[in-house]
Amino acid sequence: MTDTTQAYDRNLVRIGKERVESVGSTDFPGHYPGESHHWDLEQFRSQLKVIINSLSSAAIEFDLVGVDASVANAIRRIVIAEVPTVAIETVYVWNNTSIIQDEVLAQRLGLIPLAIDPRKLEMKKSADEAPTDLNTVVFGLVANCQRLRDVKKGETDPKKIWSGTEVFSSQLTFDAKGAQVDLFGDRTPQPANPNILVAKMRGGQEIVAELHCNKGIGKDHAKWSPVATASYRLLPSIEILGDIEPSLHPKLQACFPPGVIDISDGRIRVADARKDTVSREVLRHAEFEGRVRLGRVRDHFIFNVESAGQYRPEELVPEAIQVLLSKRCVDRS
């Protein structure tokens, strides 16, 4: 074994030991003596907190405090895979003279998020079930590319030569069936984003298709997932143990992202631990060994959920919780 390999192995052992000691691998429920983990509804209510940090038309960030990791992860998984949406399931291609093959065109159309309230529709019991106005939404797509008049000689810009060179999701038109006008009211079914590019065409090419949309869930196909991303992380915990020499303050501050460590009046303190990116840079420096403890707040989850457009971001977690509640075991006694 070479000296380089031995040094590498020693470093791995040292880093592993530092991580165990500083991150707190034993920081989990049931580890500390005297903890009681019996279920108490009033205690749960007093500890549970939901704090919305930011909200936009596309995403939400919130803190979920006072729950076990299993509950937080169940919510995340359900948001991704089990909150139902409506997506294009069947494409009837009546004419397609573009260079995109029918099956590729159908796949691209199927992945367009649709702003359709799934609570208004029923889920098909099987693929063979006949479509009705209660389980199927129909869109039409008609797009063609024609040469423009009075094109200048030598023009090379396709958009100045042809009309309809690009087919966008905004060209999908809702074809109401039965009582769907009253069913959807003022929330007319439409693509969640009108600017999704579906295809490019040139002169004389045409696409004519009929699209049937059905209700489904993300674990059957990703096109039914209502989120672009849904993730969480534990709130970082940073403790400064004892006094640190003023000469080392700038070095310690530089070990963390801006805003985490504050130096003022000759004192150093943790200003905002949530800005930490968990780089563990401080563990590389021997002068801080035993002076800084890194960890996680085990019941404080920072969630980031980005909607694909079928739901407003603030609707996604309540919908996931409803799905979770529907999974409760039925008392058969």
Side-chain angles (χ1 to χ4, degrees):
M1 184 180 292
T2 65
D3 292 341
T4 303
T5 304
Q6 290 176 342
Y8 179 75
D9 289 344
R10 286 196 299 271
N11 283 334
L12 285 179
V13 171
R14 178 181 60 81
I15 292 172
K17 182 180 178 182
E18 287 175 346
R19 287 185 175 179
V20 168
E21 292 177 349
S22 60
V23 176
S25 62
T26 58
D27 189 15
F28 57 87
H31 171 73
Y32 298 105
E35 281 192 352
S36 174
H37 297 285
H38 71 280
W39 171 253
D40 185 284
L41 180 59
E42 293 305 319
Q43 183 180 8
F44 176 77
R45 283 176 173 171
S46 66
Q47 294 178 348
L48 178 65
K49 295 179 183 177
V50 179
I51 305 166
I52 297 177
N53 301 313
S54 64
L55 174 63
S56 68
S57 60
I60 184 172
E61 181 191 286
F62 65 93
D63 289 11
L64 180 62
V65 185
V67 300
D68 187 74
S70 60
V71 176
N73 197 45
I75 292 173
R76 182 191 67 85
R77 290 171 63 96
I78 291 172
V79 165
I80 294 172
E82 295 188 57
V83 172
T85 66
V86 179
I88 296 169
E89 173 70 356
T90 307
V91 178
Y92 298 95
V93 180
W94 307 130
N95 189 23
N96 177 20
T97 56
S98 72
I99 63 170
I100 298 181
Q101 300 93 330
D102 291 355
E103 58 272 23
V104 177
L105 177 64
Q107 183 189 42
R108 291 180 65 85
L109 290 168
L111 292 173
I112 295 175
L114 302 175
I116 301 175
D117 188 349
R119 292 161 290 197
K120 302 285 188 179
L121 294 177
E122 300 173 355
M123 194 175 294
K124 277 190 170 185
K125 296 180 177 62
S126 68
D128 298 330
E129 184 178 348
T132 69
D133 58 342
L134 296 179
N135 63 24
T136 302
V137 174
V138 178
F139 284 93
L141 174 61
V142 177
N144 53 68
C145 183
Q146 301 293 333
R147 186 178 179 87
L148 296 171
R149 295 182 179 181
D150 303 323
V151 178
K152 294 180 180 179
K153 187 176 181 179
E155 182 62 65
T156 58
D157 186 351
K159 293 184 179 180
K160 295 181 179 179
I161 302 174
W162 315 99
S163 66
T165 57
E166 296 176 331
V167 182
F168 290 98
S169 54
S170 59
Q171 294 174 242
L172 272 62
T173 56
F174 172 52
D175 184 6
K177 302 294 184 182
Q180 288 183 346
V181 172
D182 296 328
L183 180 66
F184 293 110
D186 58 352
R187 295 186 67 177
T188 303
Q190 59 185 335
N193 185 337
N195 300 314
I196 298 174
L197 182 64
V198 176
K200 290 188 175 183
M201 299 193 298
R202 289 298 181 264
Q205 295 180 354
E206 182 181 45
I207 296 175
V208 181
E210 183 176 302
L211 323 173
H212 287 205
C213 314
N214 299 125
K215 186 175 178 178
I217 55 177
K219 71 178 181 180
D220 290 333
H221 195 287
K223 67 184 178 183
W224 278 301
S225 180
V227 293
T229 181
S231 63
Y232 66 77
R233 63 188 178 99
L234 285 169
L235 178 69
S237 171
I238 304 169
E239 295 179 72
I240 298 177
L241 309 175
D243 294 330
I244 294 178
E245 296 84 348
S247 60
L248 293 176
H249 288 182
K251 186 173 183 178
L252 179 62
Q253 186 182 47
C255 290
F256 297 91
V260 175
I261 302 296
D262 176 66
I263 301 175
S264 58
D265 300 327
R267 301 180 60 186
I268 190 167
R269 67 182 184 89
V270 179
D272 191 353
R274 71 184 299 124
K275 292 182 179 179
D276 184 33
T277 56
V278 201
S279 68
R280 297 188 175 93
E281 172 68 16
V282 70
L283 301 182
R284 296 180 62 247
H285 304 283
E287 55 267 46
F288 298 130
E289 185 175 354
R291 295 185 172 190
V292 179
R293 179 185 298 154
L294 304 181
R296 306 287 187 279
V297 181
R298 61 186 179 180
D299 64 346
H300 191 139
F301 301 89
I302 303 173
F303 267 84
N304 285 276
V305 179
E306 182 182 352
S307 173
Q310 299 96 327
Y311 290 87
R312 292 191 294 271
E314 63 270 24
E315 295 177 324
L316 285 165
V317 172
E319 287 295 322
I321 292 173
Q322 289 300 318
V323 174
L324 181 60
L325 290 174
S326 70
K327 296 175 178 288
R328 290 179 297 180
C329 296
V330 178
D331 185 1
R332 301 184 183 278
S333 59

